Amino acid sequence: MRSAIEGPDATRRTLLKSAAIGLFAFQLGGVDAMLSPAEARRRGARLKILSPAEAAQLEAFGDALVPGARKAGIAHYVDANLARPHSQSLLTARYLDVLPPHDAFYKTGLAALDGAAAAAFGKPFAKGTAAQTNPLIAAMLPGQITPWAGPPAPLFYLAVRSDAADLVYGTRAAFEQLNVPYMAHIEPPSDW
Amino acid sequence: MTGKAASSTDAVIVGAGAAGNLFAAHLAEAGKSVLVLEPGPAWTTGDLYSSLIWSRRLRWGGPAVESTGGHAFGAGFNNGWGIGGAALHHYGTWPRLMPSDFTMKSDHGKGLDWPLGYDDLRPYYDRIQEEVGVSGDAEAEVWRPAGAPYPLPPLQQFAQARLLSRGFTALGMKTAPSPMAILSQDYKGRPACVYDGWCDAGCPIGALANPLVTYHPRAVKACAKFVTGAHVTRVLPGRNPHEAAGVEYVDASGETRTALAKVVIMAASTIGNPAILLNSAADGWSGGAGNSSGLAGRYFMTHSIAAIYGFFDGEETENYLGVTGAQATNMDHYPKTALGGGAFGSLQWQLAPTMKPNDLLGVAMARADLFGPALTKFMDRAVHHLAVMFGFGEGLPVAENRVELSGRTGPGGGRTPRVVHTFAPESVKLWERAAELGLKVIKAGGASEPWANPMANAHMMGGTIMGRDPKSSVTDSYGRSHDIANLFIAGPGLYPTAGAMNPNFTNHALALRSAEHLLAHWPA
């Protein structure tokens, strides 16, 4: 990996290390465990806010937007954040002026997506093929998806796409995969 | 709910952002007892993790702000939460306003005039830049108004800035290093920047002038008291309508409390200040505290953003290095009518902000329309070959653009704010012309496949505007309420026009001027 850093002492980057522990709390077999969303998904941790069907749909939608989001645990990531107080949420919905409660935003958005899928190809979104779901997704950002009975489709698209991008592109491991130096001042407490 | 026993201080400051901390430091250092009430948490530099995911904790986490209008304002992205406020995650891009920004109404018959001119503010800009450390090249900024040279040389530039500057040069335009409140060299016990581009997540080493390393430590050292988790609900009336007794707030445990003070300083953000004033209706304050003009909340302004992207294939743009603000600037089209074609207002270009792969300003969001394998392909190329520059366009002051109270309630039963914003037609035209110009520039620099993204906005100003006439403004030039002698308002909400400059340098200069005026004219 190339280094283009010149000038001031770059070793300062790594001098400040966080001792904080910031993984999310998930339930495994009735016991709380601090896990990354990917681990939580792999180990079948219980969801607190989303139903299994909603989680499956969010995984399908997230993975269609940003390949890799399913494996990275998008459903568990969103679920864990929805279970937190709003002021501690790390979801992009917080940036996008989505009015809380955000669980309603995700649940009604997913329901609207299923409604559009049912109208377009007679199956839930998660059961559709790429050829069936891609036209629906492409119609979301321009606000042309119909029928749509949920939060504004462009907003829902941007929020879930950003959640997926956080997990697939925003971690240290993702930076390394993209050959982008991470260069942390303070290591984030969780690399998801 | 019953209130706890009232505390009493010389000054109560609502909000611990840039202006609140500056006021707290100066007042406390002058021997005044100071209480600062902040709704968010008490961050330390150790909380500023290098992650754009974690950085969202620094954004507004209080009662929801509704945002609506033809060009809805991004309240969640721009507001701060906790000690440091929005300045904790700001990018440290610190240009001064131009003299023409203060006289728009006189010069053009549009918008408003400020009750002070550039020359009144100039010495405060000079002193602030010396106090906190600003890096730049005053001579290279041929547009820069008179003022002391920067105390520090410019920041280092990387490939992205050099590549984008080529386009400006090709069209006979100039570029200069951006003036940044980020240290290019060690300065007054703070270390120099290491160009890792995590400014958006907060700068834990203190190279960027966030309040945690500038005025907050001074305020604490001088014994200002900070209370976090404190939601101020209203200003309390004093013995007559021209006096405030203090403020009411709901503390972290949910108790309603009263903080009495000789002076009340509202520094709760451009949105928070008018919301609290409007929630403070009482006998003699029928439209809210300090609102006899009916203008509390009015003239809310923001900057449009023309985001111009292009690929430099065959070049490593190093777009992950540098600073989140900008590496270089161009202000050739700052004069209000320079762009022509029906556009009105100033334009400032900021070149080569750092792009991390994710987040709103990140690489993935540069093409929000892409998804699936097309996004994967785009990312592989863009993280090493994409370049971006932002044109910040002035939004004209329009009275209908406002902070008002919504139908929702927050802590203590106060109504939460709603921001209503639509750019004036001349401001929309300014953005269109800026996007056209930006595409021309980036093409001239050799970029391939250039594109302009849909209009975005950033920065918040107005809503509690200053002026000479109590009928057409909320405060005087020091931020003192025209109606309530011991009520001061601080922050960019005071600006009668927005200019096209990032607001925090002017925010600091105004706050310093006001704090010193207050101390020199302390209420009997």
Side-chain angles (χ1 to χ4, degrees):
Chain A
M1 189 176 300
R2 59 177 297 177
S3 172
I5 301 290
E6 299 173 17
D9 177 12
T11 59
R12 256 199 316 273
R13 279 184 220 113
T14 52
L15 290 182
L16 299 164
K17 293 283 187 186
S18 167
I21 296 172
L23 300 174
F24 290 107
F26 291 98
Q27 274 210 336
L28 275 174
V31 178
D32 278 342
M34 301 302 289
L35 301 171
S36 73
E39 288 172 324
R41 178 181 186 273
R42 198 164 52 245
R43 297 171 65 177
R46 191 173 70 81
L47 297 158
K48 294 177 180 169
I49 305 293
L50 300 173
S51 70
E54 288 166 339
Q57 194 190 353
L58 182 56
E59 287 186 346
F61 183 38
D63 213 56
L65 290 168
V66 183
R70 184 198 308 271
K71 190 177 172 192
I74 183 170
H76 284 81
Y77 171 73
V78 170
D79 186 81
N81 276 292
L82 293 176
R84 289 177 153 195
H86 174 65
S87 63
Q88 294 173 29
S89 170
L90 304 179
L91 297 175
T92 314
R94 184 169 168 174
Y95 275 4
L96 297 174
D97 297 319
V98 175
L99 291 175
H102 287 174
D103 54 348
F105 173 76
Y106 280 91
K107 284 171 176 284
T108 57
L110 291 169
L113 190 58
D114 251 0
F121 50 83
K123 287 190 286 191
F125 181 88
K127 302 285 186 192
T129 64
Q132 292 171 320
T133 57
N134 281 350
L136 288 183
I137 297 172
M140 291 181 75
L141 189 60
Q144 294 166 350
I145 186 170
T146 57
W148 184 262
L155 192 60
F156 188 64
Y157 169 94
L158 289 172
V160 177
R161 185 180 180 277
S162 186
D163 295 336
D166 281 345
L167 294 180
V168 178
Y169 300 131
T171 67
R172 174 180 275 281
F175 276 48
E176 283 173 11
Q177 199 155 4
L178 291 164
N179 197 23
V180 172
Y182 196 85
M183 305 177 295
H185 290 297
I186 298 181
E187 291 290 344
S190 166
D191 200 31
W192 322 110
Chain B
M1 206 180 303
T2 56
K4 287 286 183 77
S7 64
S8 184
T9 54
D10 288 326
V12 62
I13 299 174
V14 183
N21 273 294
L22 189 151
F23 261 96
H26 281 266
L27 268 53
E29 286 169 353
K32 303 297 183 189
S33 57
V34 175
L35 171 66
V36 185
L37 301 173
E38 163 58 45
W43 302 120
T44 68
T45 52
D47 294 314
L48 305 177
Y49 308 147
S50 301
S51 161
L52 294 178
I53 302 172
W54 286 96
S55 76
R56 288 167 200 147
R57 300 178 306 160
L58 309 181
R59 260 62 181 203
W60 181 246
V65 176
E66 293 181 34
S67 197
T68 186
H71 305 102
F73 174 69
F77 187 73
N78 283 275
N79 256 321
W81 177 243
I83 289 185
L88 191 55
H89 58 74
H90 94 301
Y91 306 157
T93 310
W94 277 32
R96 300 168 183 228
L97 285 175
M98 298 283 193
S100 60
D101 292 321
F102 297 81
T103 56
M104 181 194 284
K105 177 79 171 172
S106 298
D107 296 344
H108 300 279
K110 287 179 184 284
L112 302 165
D113 282 345
W114 290 51
L116 72 167
Y118 175 78
D119 288 341
D120 297 310
L121 211 49
R122 172 184 165 180
Y124 299 95
Y125 281 125
D126 289 347
R127 287 171 55 197
I128 289 286
Q129 71 175 24
E130 184 68 27
E131 276 194 5
V132 308
V134 175
S135 304
D137 183 341
E139 282 190 26
E141 284 180 56
V142 294
W143 324 272
R144 187 178 187 258
Y150 298 111
L152 291 163
L155 296 174
Q156 186 178 335
Q157 291 190 347
F158 296 89
Q160 190 187 181
R162 293 193 291 271
L163 291 165
L164 289 168
S165 294
R166 285 194 326 211
F168 287 89
T169 304
L171 295 181
M173 299 166 71
K174 303 172 189 71
T175 59
S178 276
M180 304 298 292
I182 299 177
L183 307 180
S184 57
Q185 299 173 352
D186 293 358
Y187 189 72
K188 297 189 176 179
R190 288 164 45 211
C193 178
V194 291
Y195 305 105
D196 290 346
W198 287 113
C199 320
D200 203 7
C203 178
I205 67 170
L208 192 152
N210 78 55
L212 293 184
V213 297
T214 55
Y215 294 99
H216 184 64
R218 280 176 53 179
V220 170
K221 187 177 178 189
C223 298
K225 181 182 177 186
F226 287 76
V227 175
T228 55
H231 292 262
V232 171
T233 52
R234 61 187 176 119
V235 180
L236 296 170
R239 292 162 295 187
N240 61 67
H242 305 293
E243 181 186 82
V247 298
E248 180 184 86
Y249 67 100
V250 177
D251 71 12
S253 69
E255 292 275 2
T256 298
R257 292 178 178 270
T258 298
L260 302 176
K262 294 187 179 74
V263 174
V264 174
I265 297 159
M266 301 293 300
S269 92
T270 296
I271 295 172
N273 281 341
I276 294 169
L277 295 180
L278 292 169
N279 268 314
S280 303
D283 285 347
W285 295 353
S286 61
N291 193 27
S292 67
S293 64
L295 294 177
R298 296 281 169 169
Y299 293 107
F300 179 88
M301 293 170 282
T302 185
H303 292 139
S304 65
I305 300 178
I308 310 298
Y309 296 86
F311 284 107
F312 288 88
D313 293 312
E315 305 265 11
E316 168 60 71
T317 55
E318 300 174 325
N319 57 28
Y320 43 81
L321 291 176
V323 294
T324 311
Q327 296 181 41
T329 186
N330 168 276
M331 301 179 191
D332 284 352
H333 295 85
Y334 204 88
K336 307 293 181 195
T337 57
L339 281 170
F344 184 87
S346 293
L347 173 68
Q348 178 215 169
W349 287 106
Q350 292 183 2
L351 285 60
T354 300
M355 286 183 283
K356 300 295 184 184
N358 64 319
D359 207 50
L360 285 194
L361 300 181
V363 177
M365 203 56 95
R367 281 290 305 273
D369 59 317
L370 295 180
F371 62 90
L375 175 61
T376 305
K377 190 177 171 191
F378 170 82
M379 290 297 293
D380 286 342
R381 179 187 183 194
V383 291
H384 294 286
H385 303 296
L386 188 63
V388 62
M389 57 188 202
F390 295 130
F392 285 81
E394 177 172 21
L396 268 176
V398 175
E400 288 73 23
N401 288 335
R402 62 195 182 274
V403 177
E404 61 183 17
L405 299 180
S406 74
R408 299 160 71 103
T409 55
R415 288 161 63 196
T416 58
R418 176 193 294 125
V419 183
V420 183
H421 180 265
T422 303
F423 280 113
E426 301 99 311
S427 306
V428 175
K429 190 61 76 175
L430 172 67
W431 173 80
E432 291 170 355
R433 299 282 291 165
E436 290 165 11
L437 174 63
L439 288 170
K440 198 172 155 189
V441 167
I442 203 166
K443 275 183 202 167
S448 60
E449 303 167 47
W451 74 93
N453 268 351
M455 182 197 280
N457 60 58
H459 308 142
M460 47 185 172
M461 295 137 296
T464 47
I465 60 166
M466 58 168 71
R468 292 194 177 89
D469 184 352
K471 291 188 179 120
S472 59
S473 57
V474 178
T475 80
D476 68 12
S477 75
Y478 297 101
R480 187 195 297 266
S481 163
H482 288 306
D483 301 342
I484 302 170
N486 64 336
L487 174 67
F488 281 72
I489 295 171
L494 295 170
Y495 303 2
T497 59
M501 303 301 197
N502 311 56
N504 208 14
F505 194 6
T506 302
N507 177 31
H508 278 73
L510 277 176
L512 176 58
R513 179 174 180 270
S514 298
E516 291 189 342
H517 176 83
L518 170 59
L519 285 167
H521 302 83
W522 193 259

